[in-house]
Amino acid sequence: MQWGVQCTAQIVITGGDDEVQPRQAMIFRGVGKITRLEKESLCPDLDYYYQKCAWVDRRVALEWADTTMAEFTQRVKAREDWDGGGWTLSQDNLDAQVQPKYRQVLRDMEIDSYLLPPGYTDDTQAVDGGVGALSKQYVGEEMDKWLDDDANMDKWESNELTASDRRILLSHWFSAAMKRVFEKRIHHKCFRRVGGLLTIDGSDTEGISMDGLTKAQVAELLKLEPVAEPVDVDGAEVDVGGEGGGG
């Protein structure tokens, strides 16, 4: 999910509890030559990567797999309730995601890289099914709260904020936004909306919703009986459009 040319948010979530979520990441524009003060001021809850266009290219994808996903898998495997199973990572079929070396790194961590056909992420990924757009909305709300302070507004309007200042602010706003997503269990509801929590036997279809289809049409698609109304997220917010990018 990109925010102009400032950065890309690398949102990766599971449908489970927030305590076993991967660390979220941000890719900032640049080469990563930042001051010690900035390093200490960035939100410690996130991982950070740098690329000239603030995008996930082949190098960043490998760094992210070796760092963010490695930490996640190690943390989960250290839990007493780990059942010994692996993971499936649904991705967008971007250039960085189809590289053999990248996929092998994930495979070595027991992560199966599942590449979706182009144009289907809005219907099949929880990030594109609501989490991405809501996190962007929440970042905007965090920014508005910061601007409520007259001193901050003056800095904004006079262009006093440096690139370092903006990176620091964005890191804290994005972290706060994702905390709201998890606290409201929006990630879980969006997984359910796109069918990500469908059971093997085809039961538990409550909340599955596909844009442009009625309940009956969804049920026919699944070859099941119609189910109750879809689960909502913050009113009608679950029906927002998709976001591009990895995740």
Side-chain angles (χ1 to χ4, degrees):
M1 182 181 68
Q2 285 192 297
W3 291 319
V5 295
Q6 294 291 322
C7 67
T8 293
Q10 179 81 336
I11 300 177
V12 178
I13 56 176
T14 75
D17 297 329
D18 59 347
E19 64 185 36
V20 292
Q21 294 294 323
R23 286 171 61 88
Q24 304 306 310
M26 302 185 79
I27 299 92
F28 287 119
R29 184 177 61 176
V31 295
K33 293 182 179 180
I34 62 176
T35 65
R36 179 178 177 181
L37 177 60
E38 179 175 342
K39 288 182 180 180
E40 294 175 348
S41 300
L42 289 167
C43 181
D45 299 334
L46 308 173
D47 291 337
Y48 302 97
Y49 304 93
Y50 297 84
Q51 198 265 352
K52 63 180 181 179
C53 297
W55 189 233
V56 182
D57 61 9
R58 297 181 183 184
R59 175 187 59 81
V60 172
L62 281 171
E63 289 181 10
W64 173 80
D66 282 330
T67 305
T68 300
M69 294 310 291
E71 185 280 333
F72 168 68
T73 57
Q74 292 167 8
R75 175 160 41 93
V76 174
K77 290 178 179 180
R79 290 170 57 95
E80 293 182 358
D81 59 353
W82 182 53
D83 61 6
W87 299 266
T88 297
L89 178 63
S90 297
Q91 300 183 91
D92 295 349
N93 237 313
L94 301 177
D95 174 75
Q97 299 167 344
V98 302
Q99 299 307 312
K101 185 176 181 179
Y102 168 75
R103 300 186 70 183
Q104 184 60 53
V105 168
L106 293 175
R107 195 156 37 241
D108 291 343
M109 292 185 283
E110 300 179 80
I111 300 175
D112 179 28
S113 178
Y114 182 77
L115 301 175
L116 295 164
Y120 281 87
T121 56
D122 288 2
D123 295 323
T124 58
Q125 289 202 64
V127 172
D128 288 10
V131 171
L134 284 172
S135 65
K136 184 180 288 188
Q137 173 186 318
Y138 293 158
V139 166
E141 293 174 4
E142 293 297 321
M143 174 181 168
D144 288 342
K145 287 191 292 186
W146 184 81
L147 289 173
D148 282 341
D149 186 310
D150 290 340
N152 293 336
M153 178 61 79
D154 289 341
K155 292 178 182 178
W156 184 273
E157 292 181 339
S158 61
N159 293 319
E160 290 183 29
L161 295 176
T162 65
S164 176
D165 293 333
R166 293 193 294 271
R167 287 192 292 265
I168 293 168
L169 287 170
L170 278 170
S171 74
H172 288 275
W173 295 342
F174 177 54
S175 177
M178 291 307 298
K179 285 179 181 178
R180 290 176 64 183
V181 167
F182 292 131
E183 287 171 357
K184 295 183 177 183
R185 294 193 59 75
I186 291 171
H187 63 300
H188 184 84
K189 295 171 184 177
C190 287
F191 259 100
R192 185 173 293 280
R193 175 182 184 259
V194 299
L197 301 181
L198 188 67
T199 54
I200 293 177
D201 63 3
S203 61
D204 194 18
T205 62
E206 178 73 21
I208 294 178
S209 174
M210 296 183 182
D211 291 340
L213 298 181
T214 65
K215 287 189 305 176
Q217 289 172 324
V218 172
E220 176 62 25
L221 185 63
L222 298 172
K223 301 300 182 182
L224 300 169
E225 292 297 322
V227 296
E229 290 293 335
V231 175
D232 203 5
V233 178
D234 284 1
E237 288 184 318
V238 75
D239 292 323
V240 294
E243 296 290 332

